[in-house]
Amino acid sequence: MSASELNYGPVGISRPGATAPAGLREREQRIRLGSGEGLWARAVDAVSGWAIKKRVRFTVTPDDASVVLGRDYDTRFGIGALRLLEPVRVVWVEESGERRGFGYGTRVGHPITGEECFLVERDADGVVWLVVRTVSRVSRGRWLVLWPGIRLMQPVFQRRYARAALRLIVGADALPGMRGLRRTLVGEGSSSVDGIAKLGYGMNPERGPFDEPPAEPVQLDADALPWELREPDGEASPPRNGT
């Protein structure tokens, strides 16, 4: 495969574990998808072609169902005349063992210089993981003027790729990790007072034992009530507003 039209080197730098050349930044996102043969089959299908990028509203020409090693593709993003051309080439394909996916390298004219890959892996416990890995820098020339914006958007797009893959494979919108964040801040239920003080009920914690009124009437000991709740004769105040 000729690398004459690629704007970087060497080829294969987006493979997990590969060393990033000097001057290129490595960014990797690894997402736990779940387990099961059905999920694995959907995951393999999602990373065999351009489904993830198309889900993020890229157009790809030619639109192959499965990528072809060594083939050049024109990917575009935007609206109408503002569609940005990003020419790439599929530089490696993984089709063996418990890892599937491919990596594509940037060609001359791409605002980025480097590689990106979409992979799924299955570990010894049968858990399927999505890996989105980018090793790149901003291209030279006119693209350097847009360097801050390009750098800012790269992690945004990587996150969108991960979310798109979740919708395709798992059928969920939220990225794994939000549940863990909620547990850290709110706890497992609504009884975590400190967590609720931080977030309110914005993340919908599970209902706890005190979220429903008691099934049976509760007899209050008037002598045990604070003075603010006592009637002048010593009896408890009747409930107000249904409380």
Side-chain angles (χ1 to χ4, degrees):
M1 179 182 61
S2 172
S4 61
E5 294 184 18
L6 297 174
N7 61 0
Y8 74 98
V11 169
I13 57 177
S14 61
R15 287 184 179 274
T19 301
L24 273 66
R25 178 181 296 182
E26 175 186 350
R27 186 181 297 277
E28 180 174 311
Q29 185 152 317
R30 185 178 175 86
I31 304 294
R32 186 184 190 277
L33 298 176
S35 58
E37 288 298 327
L39 184 140
W40 172 249
R42 293 192 300 274
V44 170
D45 185 64
V47 298
S48 294
W50 297 102
I52 293 175
K53 284 189 79 75
K54 290 194 298 181
R55 188 85 183 208
V56 182
R57 300 186 183 278
F58 277 84
T59 60
V60 183
T61 307
D63 187 9
D64 295 330
S66 296
V67 299
V68 178
L69 179 62
R71 176 167 291 179
D72 290 345
Y73 295 86
D74 288 341
T75 67
R76 290 178 170 84
F77 182 82
I79 301 175
L82 298 178
R83 298 189 74 82
L84 178 65
L85 171 64
E86 299 184 356
V88 300
R89 175 179 297 161
V90 174
V91 292
W92 58 266
V93 176
E94 183 64 69
E95 298 179 318
S96 61
E98 298 301 294
R99 179 181 286 174
R100 298 286 192 279
F102 68 97
Y104 56 92
T106 58
R107 293 157 49 210
V108 174
H110 200 295
I112 298 295
T113 293
E115 278 186 25
E116 187 165 54
C117 78
F118 298 130
L119 279 177
V120 289
E121 301 174 339
R122 184 161 54 177
D123 63 24
D125 296 324
V127 177
V128 181
W129 299 82
L130 168 73
V131 178
V132 181
R133 186 169 189 261
T134 304
V135 181
S136 67
R137 63 170 172 81
V138 178
S139 295
R140 306 301 185 191
R142 68 184 186 277
W143 299 114
L144 288 177
V145 178
L146 302 176
W147 178 86
I150 293 174
R151 273 297 178 211
L152 181 67
M153 291 306 296
Q154 272 196 304
V156 173
F157 271 100
Q158 195 174 75
R159 191 75 171 172
R160 291 183 67 184
Y161 291 149
R163 185 173 290 111
L166 278 169
R167 293 192 188 109
L168 287 168
I169 300 167
V170 183
D173 278 339
L175 287 173
M178 288 303 294
R179 289 188 296 272
L181 174 64
R182 174 193 165 276
R183 283 194 296 269
T184 299
L185 296 178
V186 184
E188 293 292 347
S190 58
S191 60
S192 177
V193 177
D194 291 338
I196 294 172
K198 294 177 184 178
L199 290 184
Y201 284 89
M203 298 184 77
N204 299 318
E206 297 176 3
R207 298 183 68 83
F210 301 106
D211 287 325
E212 297 290 342
E216 301 293 334
V218 177
Q219 185 67 38
L220 299 178
D221 183 356
D223 294 332
L225 292 175
W227 66 268
E228 295 94 335
L229 300 180
R230 299 184 187 183
E231 291 292 338
D233 59 0
E235 295 296 329
S237 301
R240 296 183 176 88
N241 300 326
T243 60

